[in-house]
Structure formats: structure tokens, C-alpha cells
Amino acid sequence: MISSKTSTLYLSPPRADLWLAIGLRLLAATGIALLAIIVWCLLGEAWNVFVGVGASHFLTDSSWHPTEGTFGIAPMAVASIASALGAVLIASPIGVGSAVFCQYYCSPGWSSALRQLLGLFAGIPSVVFGFWGLVTLVPLIAEDNPPGASLLAGALVLAMMIVPTVALTAHAALASVPHSFVAAGHALGLRRGTIVLKVTLIAARNGIFAGIIMSLGRALGETMAMLMVSGNIVQIPSSVFDSVRSLAANIALEMAYATGTHRSALYACGIALIAVVALSTWVSERLTAGARHRA
């Protein structure tokens, strides 16, 4: 018979596990503290523009002229959202189609090689995409619709940047679909295309949508590529060929010389970007959690 003292010693965690748990808690707390400090500093720096200009004018006015004291981010917010959504609309079918091909229509060797190539593609710096877009894509668009540097150019470059993310997350979602679903489809006499479209894609839809929304968050925060190919004109676009300026590009262009309320307005642009990306991340987490729950 084991005494209560012996039982307590047996159930207590080893010292190494205890120190590991403490270390992990400290690291998690450090990450949360750093995020809180960043948000707090941004709010402190942006407070002047919210008081002096007003949050409603800052969010809805269509004029951004720091020398005249007007700070409206509506055109840049529209440009950021439009370019990101355009990139997602272009990249999603390409990425999901690539994932389906790798998972169901490709040999294991070629599938592994293609996924490694996509991983390498995802690691290319954004300035390289922007430079390619500036010297190749912008002149092509300018041949028929000058000046070429436009919302369309920005969306196309962003689409190239997020295709690997969409493809790799979609492949992971498809790979997590139970093999019994595919076997059941074959047992019913369904063709491979029917199984893919009506069984596996539906079963993996939450994971696929989560990856797409994660890609949307990356596209919203992209700076260098949009700065190089979008034209950097503050206006609400009337067509995809109009030059635009995104919120991230605006911060990069003006932070070096901004002072006073102008500087506060740029910090407020950063807060707006954080809010949008945080919302997209939250939606992605909810979709992923729903997929795990159904599984």
C-alpha cells in the first residue's frame, strides 16, 4: 500500500518540467507585454490627432494634406483594402488549385518538390517583387493605360506574394481530411474530380478560408511592393488603373520628416492597420477552431 506522502511525491511534476513551465509562462507573458507596450506607445503618439482632428474626420475625410492640417485616411484605407482584396481574388484560385494538384493529381516526389518551391517562393523579399513589378509589370500596363503604376499593379504584385501562403495552407487543410472520406467516395463510385470538388474541398473549407484570411492580413500590411508599383497618389480610385497610396506606404513615405500632428496622424495610420490585421487574424483563428471542432 502506497502512503499519502509517497503518492504526493509520485504525482508531483519533476523539477525540470516545473522550470520549463515557468519559463514558457514567462516567455508568453513577455510576448503579450511587448504587444501591449507597442499598442500603448502608438496610442500615446496618435492621441494628438484624435483630439485635434477628431476620430470621425480622420477616418472619413477624403483629403490628406499635412501642410494644410487635413488628415483623412479614407482614400488610403480604400486603396489598402481594394488592393488586398484584389490580390486575394487573384491568388485564391491559383493557390487552392495548386494545393489540389499537389495533393490529388501529382506523384509524391513532384508534390514534395512543388511544395518546396512554393516555400522558397514565399521567402523572396517583398522589395524583389516590387522591383520586378516596377521594371516589368508597370511598363506593360502603361502601354495601354498610363501611367501604369496603379491599383491593378499593386494587386497583381500582392497576389504573387501571397500565392505561396494560400497554396501551402490549403495543402495542409486538404492533407488533414480523413482518408475515409476519399475511400467512401470511391466506394460510391464517384469520379476523382467529384470527390475533390464535393467531398475534400468542402471538408477542408474552414482551413482553406483561414489561410486565405491570413494572406489578406499580409497583403494589407505590405509596404515596399505597394510603395514601388502603386503610384502613391492619395485618391479614391475610380478604376483599377488609377494610381493610389496604401496606408503602409504612406507611413514609409512621410515618417522621416513628419512632426507634430502630422507625425501623430502617421501613428494613427499604424493603429488602423493593426486593427484591420488583428480582425483578419481573429477571423482566421475562429475558422481554424471551427475546423478542429468539426474534425
Side-chain angles (χ1 to χ4, degrees), residues 69-94:
T70 57
F71 303 95
I73 66 168
M76 293 177 287
V78 170
S80 297
I81 294 173
S83 59
L85 289 177
V88 167
L89 289 176
I90 296 169
S92 294
I94 298 174

Side-chain angles (χ1 to χ4, degrees), residues 13 49 65 72 97-98 122 131-132 144 149 166-167 177 187-188 206 208 210 225 253 273 279 290:
V49 75
H65 296 291
S98 300
F131 182 72
W132 175 85
D144 296 320
V166 175
V177 175
L188 291 172
N206 285 355
I208 294 173
L253 282 170
L273 274 176
L279 177 62

Side-chain angles (χ1 to χ4, degrees), residues 3-56:
S3 63
S4 59
K5 183 178 180 179
T6 305
S7 178
T8 303
L9 291 174
Y10 179 78
L11 294 176
S12 62
R15 185 178 296 274
D17 289 348
L18 179 61
W19 283 111
L20 177 61
I22 293 173
L24 292 175
R25 288 187 176 91
L26 287 175
L27 290 174
T30 301
I32 296 173
L34 289 174
L35 179 60
I37 290 171
I38 292 172
V39 174
W40 178 259
C41 291
L42 288 176
L43 286 172
E45 293 287 347
W47 187 252
N48 289 336
V49 75
F50 292 138
V51 173
V53 178
S56 61

